[in-house]
Amino acid sequence: MAYKYLVIVESPAKAKTIEKYLGRNYKVVASVGHIRDLPKSKMGIDVENNYEPYYITIRGKGDVTKDLKKHAKKAEKVYLASDPDREGEAIAWHLSYILGLDPHDKNRVVFNEITKDAVKEAFKEPRSIDLDLVDAQQARRILDRLVGYSISPMLWRKVKKGLSAGRVQSVALKMIIDREKEIRNFTPEEYWSIDGNFKKGRKKFKANFWGVDGKKKKLPNEEAVKEVTSRISGKDYDVTKVEKKERKRNPAAPFTTSNLQQEAARKLNFRTGKTMMIAQQLYEGISLGKGGTTGLITYMRTDSKRIADSAKQEVTDFIEQTYGKSYAAHSNKKLKNAQGAQDAHEAIRPTSALRTPESIEKYLDKDQMKLYRLIWSRFVASQMKPAILDTVKATLNQNGVIFVANGSKVKFKGFMEVYVEGRDDGKKDKENILPELASGDVVQSEDITPNQHFTQPPARFSEATLIRTLEENGVGRPSTYAPTLQTIQKRYYVKLAQKRFEPTELGEIVNNLIEDFFPEIVDVSFTAGMEEDLDHIEEGKEEWVKVIDRFYQPFEKELDTAEEKMEKIQIKDEPAGFDCDVCGHPMVIKLGRYGKFYACSNFPECRNTKPIVKEIGVTCPKCQKGQVIERKSKKNRIFYGCDRYPECDFISWDKPVGRACPKCDHYLVEKKKKGGKQVVCSNCDYKEDVQK
């Protein structure tokens, strides 16, 4: 089939979508990501010659390159339509080199959404390749290569093979380890609260102790509590003050990459990599039946909060028609981007607010639907009016002992009609409606209960809270978070325990070495400063070679010192406490790529290994001979099985509790529920709550 123009994009899915929009004069093909890169087998950076990178065609891309050259020869003009960011610009630059195109020619096409109108509009105004963007991406790649290919081989020699270090991953690892140190060094402090249940007539409400004789008072111990409660006599309390206020609650801004990753973790339980994979699918296009393949969201790697005026107008009309005019914000206020945010494209939003989740549900799979609904709801809510809450604060007094009751009631839901942002603690905001109270009223206490508490250590990082902390500190960029978290887990520097990051012994060893010999690599402010330097390169304010040189000159000296002074660390094998069932030699506990395991000390003569399993103290309910042990699936999900497998094939996703159901005699398992746990029967409808 004859064509005049060749368009090159990264992915086959994107190519398929765009080709439908452009018509028969265009041929759209995919490079399938990068065509050229630095070699894997060596550094590939000439540090003696202005850090000149040595690029090669990526292994396995030979046939793709041949096809691209063949298509390019047939076309009158070649357009490069890779993604609208640094990475996409670099892909376009490498393609122009491979195909012999002039990078100054106007053959670069960018669009923020893959819809018919956006794509056609972009082809009306092609531009030349932005070499400042290319230099910024190239500088990042060279920096990461200098760090990774200098420190990693040293770690291989001094600790063990397979280790790695990187600019962003090393900072993320240090943050996790620093938090773990805070937890280990934490000393709990005792404190008390006094909670009261009160009533006015038949209406009941809660209030909490505030202070004594008009002054706020802390309750550090039981003696302080007794001092307060000794002043309480009888059940009548005077209402001395009632404050009523109207409070506005504003909607959250549309998603950037990092807060999409955080919210998907909180609300959908999605891992970061999964979120980005599904977002890519929604961006590149989904077949909507007769409507054809359409990109459903704007570009998903962005730290901009900007929204196009046309999108604002469309969503405002939609809100007015669906929820009423009183819900539409009609705001021209421009949301402020974070410092250093790239504003080349918009926040993440649906390509059309009229494409409601319900209208396209049948075309999306379950996970695509969940993420699209999240993006659509957040965007629509961001353009709605604030919620209005009526708040009440009532002060109760008896003999100078003061309790305070706080109540709130939603007066106007506003954006909350569509969406409410999630919280890291998993709690949801609830209305607390107080009875009608006025100064001079008398209310009665039903019970006054002192409660002892102890301060808690800071929580370990979840994926959501770690991404938020990295972003707040200016470390990394939207595209780096998912691969960073994957790498530190893949190297077994950290493990996920109950969805929280916990450092491993290996992670602490690597972090200590990098802290000792390469302190700037794990310094948050230094790494954030490097991100600013990369931004300056993109803006044409800095030369990339000078930025690299400022980093490398002191780094090279640190490398020489580390090579000389870093001692070899031997990770000793721990005795397992039993002998090998193959050769009789003692078994030991070894540290491997995926954690600890049992191995024969007679290696390599004997290669017997066993996984380390955790017994839960329950006899197998199926064979009544083996022990139930905790195992992990390929996706790292915990399940329970018999240690006599494969003789006994018992497995359960829920933890058996070692008791039989009193109703049907099948085994009972423990399940999580909101606010606690529940023991349920594996066969019938029997349930019992677990006492805390």
Side-chain angles (χ1 to χ4, degrees):
M1 183 178 169
Y3 53 87
K4 287 174 71 176
Y5 309 114
L6 177 69
V7 181
I8 304 174
V9 297
E10 298 100 324
S11 79
K14 190 174 171 182
K16 189 178 173 184
T17 307
I18 291 169
E19 194 165 61
K20 287 182 179 180
Y21 299 152
L22 293 175
R24 62 185 181 182
N25 285 331
Y26 291 82
K27 173 78 175 174
V28 186
V29 295
S31 66
V32 197
H34 276 279
I35 288 290
R36 293 200 307 164
D37 197 6
L38 299 169
K40 285 187 176 181
S41 58
K42 59 181 180 179
M43 174 78 77
I45 308 294
D46 188 350
V47 295
E48 303 296 329
N49 185 26
N50 285 333
Y51 307 98
E52 190 67 32
Y54 170 64
Y55 291 114
I56 61 167
T57 301
I58 294 170
R59 190 174 179 180
K61 285 292 184 80
D63 290 343
V64 175
T65 305
K66 278 183 191 174
D67 286 344
L68 291 175
K69 286 179 177 178
K70 184 176 73 177
H71 287 307
K73 278 183 183 177
K74 292 180 183 177
E76 289 180 20
K77 188 169 181 65
V78 178
Y79 290 104
L80 307 171
S82 43
D83 287 342
D85 57 9
R86 289 177 187 167
E87 197 80 14
E89 208 71 19
I91 289 173
W93 181 71
H94 284 300
L95 284 168
S96 72
Y97 177 87
I98 289 279
L99 301 175
L101 306 176
D102 182 355
H104 300 287
D105 191 12
K106 292 192 174 182
N107 57 9
R108 176 81 171 110
V109 178
V110 290
F111 33 81
N112 190 44
E113 58 186 70
I114 304 178
T115 57
K116 191 171 185 177
D117 289 345
V119 170
K120 288 202 161 188
E121 199 61 36
F123 273 85
K124 290 178 184 175
E125 293 184 24
R127 59 166 173 81
S128 58
I129 291 171
D130 187 332
L131 295 176
D132 289 334
L133 267 178
V134 174
D135 285 347
Q137 192 277 340
Q138 183 167 254
R140 177 187 288 280
R141 190 78 184 90
I142 290 170
L143 275 171
D144 289 344
R145 178 56 67 104
L146 288 170
V147 171
Y149 274 55
S150 299
I151 301 179
S152 299
M154 197 176 293
L155 294 175
W156 285 40
R157 293 192 298 274
K158 304 289 186 178
V159 187
K160 70 187 289 287
K161 281 192 173 184
L163 303 183
S164 71
R167 284 187 321 111
V168 179
Q169 79 172 56
S170 297
V171 175
L173 175 61
K174 184 177 186 300
M175 284 179 172
I176 291 166
I177 289 172
D178 285 350
R179 177 61 57 88
E180 196 68 22
K181 287 176 182 174
E182 283 182 63
I183 293 167
R184 286 174 193 158
N185 298 331
F186 182 80
T187 304
E189 290 183 13
E190 181 186 10
Y191 70 99
W192 287 68
S193 65
I194 306 175
D195 306 317
N197 287 310
F198 294 83
K199 66 178 180 178
K200 182 189 177 187
R202 292 185 178 181
K203 291 188 177 177
K204 297 179 181 180
F205 63 99
K206 294 180 185 294
N208 307 103
F209 171 74
W210 181 84
V212 174
D213 297 331
K215 292 181 181 177
K216 191 170 177 63
K217 182 177 175 65
K218 289 184 178 179
L219 301 171
N221 48 46
E222 194 171 7
E223 287 70 32
V225 172
K226 286 178 179 176
E227 190 182 316
V228 171
T229 54
S230 66
R231 296 179 61 165
I232 297 173
S233 60
K235 297 195 170 188
D236 287 354
Y237 284 74
D238 295 321
V239 179
T240 57
K241 190 177 181 183
V242 177
E243 295 175 75
K244 293 184 178 181
K245 290 182 181 176
E246 189 177 89
R247 185 168 65 87
K248 282 187 178 181
R249 181 173 173 185
N250 292 312
F255 282 128
T256 60
T257 302
S258 68
N259 50 44
L260 173 63
Q261 291 170 345
Q262 292 170 52
E263 194 75 335
R266 283 189 289 250
K267 286 198 165 186
L268 307 180
N269 204 22
F270 282 4
R271 301 290 300 276
T272 310
K274 180 177 180 176
T275 298
M276 295 312 292
M277 179 188 72
I278 297 168
Q280 183 92 31
Q281 294 165 2
L282 297 175
Y283 166 69
E284 291 184 345
I286 303 288
S287 176
L288 302 180
K290 290 180 181 178
T293 304
T294 304
L296 297 181
I297 64 169
T298 53
Y299 191 52
M300 66 288 157
R301 290 188 182 93
T302 177
D303 45 15
S304 172
K305 295 176 184 175
R306 185 174 61 81
I307 295 293
D309 290 340
S310 57
K312 278 187 182 178
Q313 187 57 55
E314 183 191 61
V315 73
T316 299
D317 293 343
F318 171 80
I319 292 165
E320 286 185 354
Q321 290 167 19
T322 309
Y323 303 101
K325 288 192 175 184
S326 60
Y327 281 85
H330 292 282
S331 174
N332 292 318
K333 181 183 174 184
K334 291 192 175 179
L335 294 164
K336 191 177 179 183
N337 287 329
Q339 188 176 356
Q342 309 303 301
D343 200 33
H345 24 82
E346 297 181 55
I348 304 168
R349 62 166 176 83
T351 52
S352 173
L354 305 181
R355 209 173 279 120
T356 63
E358 292 73 24
S359 69
I360 59 171
E361 191 164 10
K362 63 182 177 182
Y363 303 111
L364 306 185
D365 67 31
K366 190 170 71 174
D367 288 339
Q368 288 170 341
M369 188 67 229
K370 285 179 180 177
L371 194 66
Y372 181 74
R373 189 185 296 279
L374 192 71
I375 293 166
W376 183 91
S377 302
R378 171 91 163 216
F379 171 63
V380 173
S382 76
Q383 303 303 308
M384 295 174 79
K385 280 190 176 170
I388 298 173
L389 289 82
D390 281 335
T391 63
V392 182
K393 179 182 176 183
T395 305
L396 318 178
N397 191 322
Q398 188 201 108
N399 196 26
V401 177
I402 300 167
F403 281 76
V404 170
N406 288 297
S408 66
K409 183 182 179 183
V410 176
K411 183 179 181 180
F412 171 66
K413 289 188 83 171
F415 76 91
M416 292 170 67
E417 192 75 55
V418 175
Y419 174 89
V420 178
E421 192 173 18
R423 287 167 45 163
D424 287 322
D425 58 13
K427 293 179 181 176
K428 292 183 180 178
D429 296 327
K430 290 181 181 177
E431 282 192 343
N432 179 31
I433 301 172
L434 299 181
E436 193 61 45
L437 296 171
S439 183
D441 286 351
V442 176
V443 297
Q444 286 77 43
S445 65
E446 289 200 308
D447 58 73
I448 301 294
T449 310
N451 291 300
Q452 184 186 35
H453 310 275
F454 290 92
T455 53
Q456 296 297 308
R460 290 189 176 110
F461 286 111
S462 64
E463 285 201 348
T465 55
L466 182 58
I467 288 169
R468 190 185 70 208
T469 307
L470 287 167
E471 185 187 35
E472 285 172 352
N473 285 281
V475 175
R477 281 294 180 261
S479 58
T480 64
Y481 297 134
T484 295
L485 301 195
Q486 287 165 356
T487 300
I488 58 176
Q489 291 173 81
K490 190 178 174 185
R491 302 290 183 219
Y492 195 61
Y493 294 162
V494 300
K495 59 185 178 182
L496 271 179
Q498 294 167 340
K499 299 181 185 175
R500 299 275 170 172
F501 286 116
E502 196 176 317
T504 62
E505 179 188 353
L506 181 61
E508 298 207 32
I509 289 169
V510 169
N511 179 68
N512 289 340
L513 290 173
I514 295 175
E515 269 195 296
D516 289 345
F517 293 97
F518 307 99
E520 285 189 330
I521 296 297
V522 289
D523 182 82
V524 170
S525 57
F526 177 81
T527 307
M530 287 303 305
E531 294 293 351
E532 286 183 19
D533 288 343
L534 293 172
D535 292 341
H536 292 155
I537 295 169
E538 180 176 328
E539 293 158 7
K541 296 175 182 175
E542 282 259 36
E543 291 179 32
W544 72 266
V545 174
K546 288 182 179 177
V547 169
I548 301 291
D549 195 57
R550 278 203 306 268
F551 166 78
Y552 189 71
Q553 290 304 323
F555 178 65
E556 188 177 31
K557 291 172 185 171
E558 291 175 342
L559 282 170
D560 293 340
T561 304
E563 193 64 63
E564 182 188 337
K565 295 186 177 179
M566 189 185 287
E567 294 180 6
K568 190 172 177 64
I569 294 173
Q570 186 69 38
I571 300 176
K572 293 180 181 177
D573 298 333
E574 303 169 46
F578 61 93
D579 294 334
C580 174
D581 53 10
V582 175
C583 71
H585 280 75
M587 293 289 277
V588 293
I589 299 171
K590 284 187 173 287
L591 182 63
R593 188 170 180 179
Y594 300 106
K596 292 183 176 181
F597 64 97
Y598 294 126
C600 182
S601 58
N602 194 28
F603 178 87
E605 282 72 22
C606 178
R607 294 178 176 268
N608 184 25
T609 62
K610 291 177 181 291
I612 294 177
V613 295
K614 180 179 172 184
E615 290 188 0
I616 64 168
V618 172
T619 303
C620 175
K622 187 169 184 180
C623 69
Q624 300 296 325
K625 295 177 182 177
Q627 283 290 312
V628 175
I629 56 174
E630 190 180 283
R631 295 181 180 273
K632 281 193 176 178
S633 69
K634 287 182 180 177
K635 292 188 176 179
N636 219 30
R637 185 180 167 190
I638 291 173
F639 70 98
Y640 302 89
C642 182
D643 67 355
R644 294 180 66 246
Y645 179 85
E647 288 94 322
C648 174
D649 61 357
F650 169 77
I651 60 165
S652 170
W653 289 111
D654 301 308
K655 185 178 180 179
V657 298
R659 291 189 285 122
C661 172
K663 197 170 174 182
C664 72
D665 213 35
H666 277 69
Y667 67 94
L668 297 173
V669 295
E670 191 176 88
K671 280 184 176 284
K672 287 182 181 178
K673 68 164 195 172
K674 278 190 177 180
K677 293 177 182 176
Q678 203 172 43
V679 169
V680 303
C681 180
S682 57
N683 179 56
C684 71
D685 60 358
Y686 175 78
K687 293 178 183 177
E688 60 181 65
D689 286 335
V690 175
Q691 296 298 316
K692 288 188 179 179

